[in-house]
Amino acid sequence: MPSLIALVLAVQAAAQAPAPPARLTTLKQEAVQDVANRAQFTQQMVDQIFSYGELGFQETETSRYLVDVLRKNGFTVREGIFGIPTAWVATWGSGKPVISLGSDIDDIPQASQKPGVACHLPLIEGAPGHGEGHNSGQAVNITAALAVKTLLVREHLPGTLQIWPGVAEELVGTKAYFVREGLFKDVDIVLFSHVDDNLATSWGDISGNGLVSALFTFQGRSAHAAGAPWRGRSALDAVELMDIGWNYRREHLRLQQRSHYVIRDGGDQPNVVPPTASVWYYFRELDYPHIQEMFAIGDTIARAAAMMTSTTLASVRILGSAWPGHFNKVIAEAMYENIKQVGLPPWTEADQRLAHALQRDIGAPDSGLATRLDTLRPALRPDERRGGGSDDIGDVSWNVPTVTLRFPSNIPGLPGHNWANAISMATPIAHKGATAGAKVMAMTILDLLVRPEVVTQAWDYFRNVQTKDIHYQPLIRPQDRPAIDLNQDIMARYRPAMRRLYYDPTKYRTYLDQLGIAYPTVRAADGSCASGATP
Ligand SMILES: [Zn+2]
């Protein structure tokens, strides 16, 4: 017979040891069931944020709504952090590990679109809309966090959950500041979620680029453009010559680069020689040195354009930046095991009909929705990196072990940053995709909470593999501040009309119901594409 003391010691030792796999399996099953039970809550968050349709730095309704949801569920929230009015951080729990969950919340200019309708029909002509699907990621994270929180309380397990929004991701506008201001300094692991057309994750370098986003402003001198043009010095000429210079020069840059610009200020009216003009560039490359090299070439061309036109380069303002992401092998592998268990959502015939109709309408491969899981993509070799888009989660990923969970709320083969990418985003496709994502997210958080060795091994990869030779240094300069003034004018123009279409879940089960849209609405044989009336 063991003594009572020995028995007590044995019980204590068992309590302190890592939970056996069977216990973890049970906890995961319970979390998955809890997430499934919260499907309507998830749907409401997806639809609500879709209806707000806010551009970067102007996500006031979205943030107010999310902060309210989190406070009602026991989170402590700090709002307006780091001088960014729509940024916040919510925390719950205590002790280690600290698991940080992020997802973007902003949308795309001129992407307003009726959901569930497989052709271009804006809700409001010219207005912004969720043509990237950033209305769904917070629903994934919050649903998962609430399911895990319930288990932590019941099991008396230590651990802190942190939730934050990717404000102005389309402007790669905030995450470098989050890093600089120390948002992640006590964080053990970051789990990011982003909409996609499959349930997937990856590790190693992303195939896309990092970038610097910079606004070049020229100062000239106004004059009567007909009466005394010789007295004027056109700032617009400087912008045009900079663009011409860049367009010639980029033939002789590496193939991995991407660069694009828009003219933000091209003068006021033709009979006034423009005294001010500005052009906004994205300089994208694969790594920090190449991004900085491109930015320096752009700066030289801007100064040369000023010389040619006897204007001055008044300022070069950095509006955003992103490191190219690198995701953690250990966490990605743990997450992928959970992805395999959750699998893709069961799509209905209506879901597939919407997807096929849209794909045919825009000339994309007619594949329908994903029915086979992606494999876990291993690290890309340097020669496999061809360049592409960016996300400032890259900055976070070079400071804390990070992975991105991609979840299947969208339709394959779409152009991105486009009205077509908004079509599924307040339909059962988005709702089921977000629930599947939340299941994987909850299971992965449990892995990190219950198996401390996963966190240790993730840091080992981070320290000894990922950052062995590459050290993070911000692309933002010490004097840079978040560009919180961006998009104020556009939102002011469209918000009154958009407000009338905000989703009211107390009156309507779904946003499709509120809009009176028959699901799916597809183009008829005569070419028409009529949806139900919009109230
Ligand atoms: Zn995005």
Side-chain angles (χ1 to χ4, degrees):
M1 282 282 288
S3 73
L4 186 60
I5 289 170
L7 195 62
V8 167
L9 287 176
V11 167
Q12 276 178 351
Q16 283 158 6
R23 184 80 194 111
L24 180 58
T25 304
T26 311
L27 288 174
K28 284 184 177 180
Q29 282 166 353
E30 289 177 299
V32 163
Q33 188 54 52
D34 190 337
V35 167
N37 295 345
R38 293 177 198 266
Q40 192 184 0
F41 171 75
T42 307
Q43 167 256 312
Q44 284 181 355
M45 280 191 279
V46 168
D47 286 2
Q48 192 74 60
I49 299 172
F50 183 94
S51 79
Y52 291 146
E54 294 174 305
L55 291 168
F57 286 117
Q58 308 305 323
E59 310 95 333
T60 49
E61 301 284 359
T62 304
S63 281
R64 198 191 343 259
Y65 166 74
L66 289 170
V67 165
D68 186 52
V69 167
L70 286 160
R71 285 208 173 116
K72 278 185 181 141
N73 283 283
F75 279 74
T76 303
V77 188
R78 272 199 299 138
E79 294 181 81
I81 54 173
F82 317 138
I84 304 165
T86 54
W88 43 266
V89 57
T91 48
W92 178 88
S94 61
K96 287 280 191 178
V98 180
I99 310 300
S100 179
L101 309 176
S103 197
D104 303 324
I105 57 170
D106 59 326
D107 72 352
I108 300 285
Q110 302 193 43
S112 177
Q113 170 66 33
K114 289 188 179 179
V117 179
C119 49
H120 189 200
L121 271 184
L123 278 165
I124 294 162
E125 191 71 45
H130 273 289
E132 162 85 5
H134 284 177
N135 59 305
S136 53
Q138 288 292 335
V140 168
N141 293 357
I142 292 173
T143 302
L146 297 187
V148 170
K149 174 175 169 268
T150 305
L151 293 173
L152 291 190
V153 170
R154 194 192 71 194
E155 301 288 313
H156 306 289
L157 281 167
T160 304
L161 300 173
Q162 180 190 63
I163 301 182
W164 50 271
V167 166
E169 188 281 328
E170 297 301 344
L171 306 167
V172 285
T174 55
K175 296 191 193 86
Y177 293 101
F178 288 180
V179 169
R180 184 169 88 181
E181 302 298 330
L183 184 62
F184 305 104
K185 75 179 175 333
D186 299 321
V187 166
D188 292 289
I189 301 290
V190 173
L191 301 176
F192 193 66
S193 64
H194 196 283
V195 61
D196 209 319
D197 53 42
N198 208 311
L199 191 58
T201 190
S202 61
W203 61 273
D205 288 323
I206 61 159
S207 64
N209 287 328
L211 71 83
V212 164
S213 153
L215 182 73
F216 297 82
T217 299
F218 296 89
Q219 180 74 48
R221 202 162 65 221
S222 76
H224 194 302
W230 51 87
R231 295 180 61 180
R233 297 289 178 268
S234 170
L236 177 60
D237 289 353
V239 163
E240 290 187 90
L241 287 167
M242 178 182 177
D243 295 346
I244 290 165
W246 184 261
N247 283 327
Y248 275 93
R249 182 60 194 267
R250 70 169 141 198
E251 184 185 351
H252 309 290
L253 298 175
R254 292 183 353 133
L255 299 181
Q256 296 91 329
Q257 68 89 19
R258 301 281 192 285
S259 48
H260 10 266
Y261 57 84
V262 293
I263 296 175
R264 290 290 281 180
D265 171 13
D268 298 302
Q269 56 188 64
N271 64 342
V272 179
V273 173
T276 61
S278 60
V279 59
W280 182 7
Y281 270 80
Y282 276 20
F283 299 112
R284 303 195 205 232
E285 251 284 9
L286 288 188
D287 53 38
Y288 177 88
H290 285 106
I291 295 166
Q292 291 291 44
E293 197 180 311
M294 262 180 101
F295 185 25
I297 295 168
D299 194 66
T300 300
I301 291 174
R303 284 168 205 286
M307 282 174 73
M308 281 190 276
T309 51
S310 295
T311 60
T312 54
L313 178 59
S315 65
V316 181
R317 185 178 169 205
I318 291 186
L319 299 179
S321 69
W323 263 61
H326 183 111
F327 297 118
N328 191 278
K329 181 173 193 276
V330 177
I331 317 169
E333 285 174 349
M335 182 177 271
Y336 192 68
E337 289 306 309
N338 298 324
I339 285 173
K340 283 194 289 188
Q341 286 184 43
V342 171
L344 286 161
W347 307 120
T348 61
E349 193 269 335
D351 300 332
Q352 288 289 12
R353 203 141 57 86
L354 180 80
H356 283 293
L358 176 62
Q359 287 165 337
R360 282 196 292 269
D361 209 63
I362 64 168
D366 188 9
S367 64
L369 295 165
T371 51
R372 271 226 316 270
L373 280 179
D374 273 349
T375 51
L376 176 63
R377 200 206 71 196
L380 295 171
R381 295 191 313 270
D383 64 307
E384 291 175 314
R385 298 184 63 206
R386 306 274 159 78
S390 316
D391 188 315
D392 50 2
I393 190 63
D395 287 73
V396 180
S397 76
W398 286 95
N399 285 277
V400 189
T402 301
V403 298
T404 292
L405 168 67
R406 292 181 280 126
F407 55 91
S409 285
N410 219 323
I411 295 167
L414 308 185
H417 292 182
N418 180 274
W419 52 265
N421 294 65
I423 287 172
S424 74
M425 290 312 306
T427 71
I429 298 171
H431 305 149
K432 286 183 280 193
T435 289
K439 290 176 182 174
V440 175
M441 193 58 99
M443 292 168 85
T444 308
I445 299 168
L446 287 170
D447 278 320
L448 300 169
L449 291 171
V450 177
R451 295 166 58 204
E453 70 275 16
V454 178
V455 176
T456 309
Q457 288 162 9
W459 274 97
D460 182 57
Y461 174 87
F462 179 82
R463 289 201 181 95
N464 301 319
V465 180
Q466 181 185 346
T467 63
K468 185 164 167 275
D469 300 315
I470 298 172
H471 302 291
Y472 178 77
Q473 38 190 330
L475 286 155
I476 48 173
R477 304 160 301 190
Q479 71 269 28
D480 290 319
R481 296 287 173 274
I484 58 173
D485 53 306
L486 292 178
N487 291 323
Q488 262 168 5
D489 47 348
I490 304 176
M491 283 314 301
R493 197 178 319 147
Y494 291 105
R495 200 185 286 280
M498 294 172 76
R499 190 170 280 131
R500 289 195 286 275
L501 297 180
Y502 288 170
Y503 171 46
D504 182 354
T506 65
K507 291 203 188 119
Y508 300 94
R509 198 178 58 83
T510 68
Y511 195 43
L512 285 174
D513 288 350
Q514 178 169 332
L515 296 173
I517 292 171
Y519 180 76
T521 296
V522 302
R523 203 179 283 284
D526 66 359
S528 65
C529 188
S531 81
T534 298

